[in-house]
Amino acid sequence: EGAYDGHLQGVATDGGAIYWPFTHVIVKTDLKGRVLASTAQPRHQGDCCVHDGLLYVAVNRGKFNQETGAVSEVWAYDTRDLALKNKWKVPELVHGAGGMTWHDGRFYVVGGLPKTHVRNYVYEYTPDFTFVKRHVLETGYTVLGIQTAAFEQGRFLFGCYHDKEFPVRTLVCPSDLGSFEVSSESTDVGVLTLDGSLFCARTRKAGPRSWGGFLVPAKMR
């Protein structure tokens, strides 16, 4: 339901609700898309994940895709009413935090890149956002880095933007992030599992400054 001032940045679910960050408005819906709660927040609210009753959102309050100027943080919201509960700095994401996921006791955060970079980076953190490791993926250039992160059905899925020169791609990585494959599925505004099936998020412009979001069945296995 509804349209929002900013396109969809990601999706997450706890099995009972779906969470949709629209750049600077976060929306909670039931599984049929009916709005249960929302909160307006400073942009740029990015991709998100749910863990232990909190919605964690990758946030950049500075410049994206530059060598300096990012203000990379993670903000946590109560899944019940979307009340803001905590914030952590993640300065290792020097090009801007934009997406995140949770797997096996760790958070993994991704973000933007300048056009000069030919590698992507995945930053691993403890539950209290103590930095653990930077994982390097020898991907070649991807449009503005990695936009979304999810650990679904036993693998990491990293969604990337596309343009006329660079085709749609999702980076598919094993749990150790030691390699990757490329899928032509689009997960650049989110991907999640509902009732055992994989769904990809889509965003659509509804007006001059108005965007909506929806889910479609994924084509990848």
Side-chain angles (χ1 to χ4, degrees):
E1 289 181 333
Y4 305 92
D5 182 8
H7 73 75
L8 186 65
Q9 300 286 348
V11 288
T13 184
D14 54 14
I18 302 173
Y19 304 88
W20 316 71
F22 287 93
T23 309
H24 61 90
V25 178
I26 300 172
V27 181
K28 174 185 178 180
T29 72
D30 64 17
L31 299 184
K32 294 185 178 181
R34 295 175 294 212
V35 174
L36 303 175
S38 66
T39 180
Q41 297 291 338
R43 55 191 307 141
H44 173 285
Q45 304 286 316
D47 181 38
C48 58
C49 66
V50 176
H51 172 64
D52 198 23
L54 292 175
L55 176 71
Y56 293 86
V57 181
V59 176
N60 179 24
R61 300 286 291 120
K63 295 180 180 179
F64 263 113
N65 311 309
Q66 305 295 322
E67 295 295 352
T68 59
V71 182
S72 295
E73 299 178 341
V74 171
W75 295 11
Y77 300 88
D78 193 315
T79 56
R80 293 172 296 182
D81 58 5
L82 299 181
L84 182 62
K85 305 297 289 185
N86 211 339
K87 297 180 181 181
W88 299 266
K89 297 184 183 300
V90 286
E92 295 78 15
L93 281 98
V94 296
H95 307 120
M100 64 183 300
T101 192
W102 167 268
H103 168 60
D104 195 24
R106 293 285 193 267
F107 287 106
Y108 295 83
V109 188
V110 296
L113 281 181
K115 291 183 177 180
T116 54
H117 284 246
V118 294
R119 299 179 179 92
N120 272 292
Y121 309 111
V122 181
Y123 299 83
E124 181 179 345
Y125 294 89
T126 66
D128 64 355
F129 291 96
T130 299
F131 178 61
V132 175
K133 182 179 180 180
R134 186 182 76 166
H135 300 265
V136 179
L137 302 178
E138 300 285 349
T139 57
Y141 174 70
T142 60
V143 180
L144 304 181
I146 298 174
Q147 305 304 315
T148 63
F151 191 86
E152 299 290 344
Q153 302 181 1
R155 67 265 172 96
F156 285 100
L157 303 175
F158 298 118
C160 303
Y161 284 154
H162 61 280
D163 59 20
K164 292 180 180 179
E165 183 178 357
F166 295 91
V168 173
R169 66 174 61 180
T170 293
L171 306 175
V172 183
C173 301
S175 58
D176 65 358
L177 291 169
S179 62
F180 71 93
E181 297 178 351
V182 176
S183 168
S184 60
E185 180 68 271
S186 176
T187 60
D188 59 354
V189 293
V191 58
L192 51 71
T193 299
L194 287 173
D195 294 329
S197 296
L198 199 64
F199 289 84
C200 296
R202 299 286 185 263
T203 193
R204 179 179 294 157
K205 203 163 189 178
R209 292 176 57 87
S210 181
W211 299 79
F214 58 102
L215 299 175
V216 298
K219 297 177 182 178
M220 72 170 68
R221 294 183 178 180

